[in-house]
Amino acid sequence: MAAVNASTQDTMRLPAEQLYRDEIEALKKEEKGSIPPGWQMSPRSVLTFLTGGKAGKLDITPKYIGNKRLVEMAIATLVTDRALLLIGEPGTAKSWLSENLAAAVCGDSGLVVQGTAGTSEEQVRYSWNYAMLLANGPTPEALVRSPIMRAMEGGSIARFEEISRCASEVQDALISILSEKTVSVPELGSETSARKGFSIIATANTRDRGVNEMSAALKRRFNIIVLPAPSDLDTELSIVKKRVSEIAASYQLQASPPADEALLKVVTIFRELRSGMTLDRKEKLKSPAGVISTAEAISLLTNSMALAASFGSGKLTDEDLAAGLQGAIVKDDDKDKLVWKEYLDNVMKKRGSEWRGLYRACTEMNE
């Protein structure tokens, strides 16, 4: 991981281009490939930044662990004039991949529109400083450019998070931008044309209603890539171990990293409850109502480390894990509590002595 200078040590969360600044600079220094207009490194270097490798003597940490071909397709999309739409279940690293793609391609991941039910068309195009507008009328100084408009001016990447949560008229405001690569400002009689390098990376959650209601016209402007949940146990273990280590270091948690046995137990529980089947596929299970994602497993383990550091010996115990599991799995009290109890009694209880401590701690929490 890149070193962080003293002026940013008290920042809770650094953007990817600052967090991995040393890696980006090393890749740029070692660059031997062709760099597309508006980019700061070649597509191959972007791939190395995202999936790991070497830049001279520096190890490049993998930011995305999964299907490498999907990452190649995402990068290739941004080389063209097509926008990129990343779709997946919650916790499949859509936003993380989007942020790191923008950081690698243009060195700025902060041009973001956050999609919500309240996102307006002004947040996609432009708005006004109304005090200046009332005082002097529409002037260039009163114009408030959206992140997308600023990305067009700078030839960089704009990110549109959770686009499917927005109303259809807000989504459709993108159609002319993606087609014409311009934003018109009739009040000033002007328009902003995108410089080479401009693109949009959008994300959408398959659990959100509306993801299938994006208009055909808008969908045609995107190359769509579906990011799957980790395909196997070992891959998910690698992701969880890496991210827990990074987050714990960022928060300076004074606790020992989770033992491999603890990681395996948590990931096993999550995979089984998510799929509705034990790993050996011998027993069907009920799944809780909430999201049982890789991101939730990472959050559970970091929270358990904080609990151990703050109120324990600093070593993760079964009681710390049980508290995290209870909070992650039991969201809809009545239904989820029953699902969790059945899992404890029918699966975990029968797994032998190595699971006994966690079983007892979880049973006490669920009473």
Side-chain angles (χ1 to χ4, degrees), residues 70-122:
L70 292 179
V71 181
E72 291 174 345
M73 290 164 60
I75 297 168
T77 293
L78 299 175
V79 175
T80 72
D81 66 351
R82 299 274 287 178
L84 174 65
L85 176 60
L86 303 173
I87 292 180
E89 287 281 311
T92 48
K94 301 179 297 297
S95 296
W96 181 243
L97 180 57
S98 168
E99 178 183 350
N100 281 278
L101 270 168
V105 169
C106 64
D108 185 358
S109 64
L111 298 172
V112 185
V113 176
Q114 180 60 56
T116 69
T119 301
S120 67
E121 188 175 339
E122 288 182 336

Side-chain angles (χ1 to χ4, degrees), residues 161-205:
E161 293 292 311
E162 306 293 359
I163 188 174
S164 58
R165 293 185 180 179
C166 299
S168 58
E169 60 268 21
V170 177
Q171 295 180 21
D172 289 345
L174 279 176
I175 292 177
S176 62
I177 293 174
L178 294 177
S179 299
E180 307 299 328
K181 302 294 190 293
T182 61
V183 172
S184 297
V185 186
E187 297 90 339
L188 297 177
S190 65
E191 67 178 24
T192 296
S193 297
R195 294 178 57 189
K196 288 183 178 180
F198 166 71
S199 192
I200 291 177
I201 305 173
T203 65
N205 187 334

Side-chain angles (χ1 to χ4, degrees), residues 223-242:
N223 275 359
I224 299 174
I225 293 177
V226 179
L227 297 181
S231 58
D232 57 69
L233 181 66
D234 288 342
T235 298
E236 189 159 6
L237 278 169
S238 297
I239 294 169
V240 171
K241 186 173 185 176
K242 177 180 181 298

Side-chain angles (χ1 to χ4, degrees), residues 26-37 39-48 79:
L27 285 164
K28 288 163 64 176
K29 182 179 179 180
E30 297 293 323
E31 184 61 75
K32 295 179 176 62
S34 176
I35 301 175
W39 289 37
Q40 63 175 350
M41 63 178 78
S42 70
R44 285 188 180 275
S45 293
V46 173
L47 180 66
T48 301
V79 175

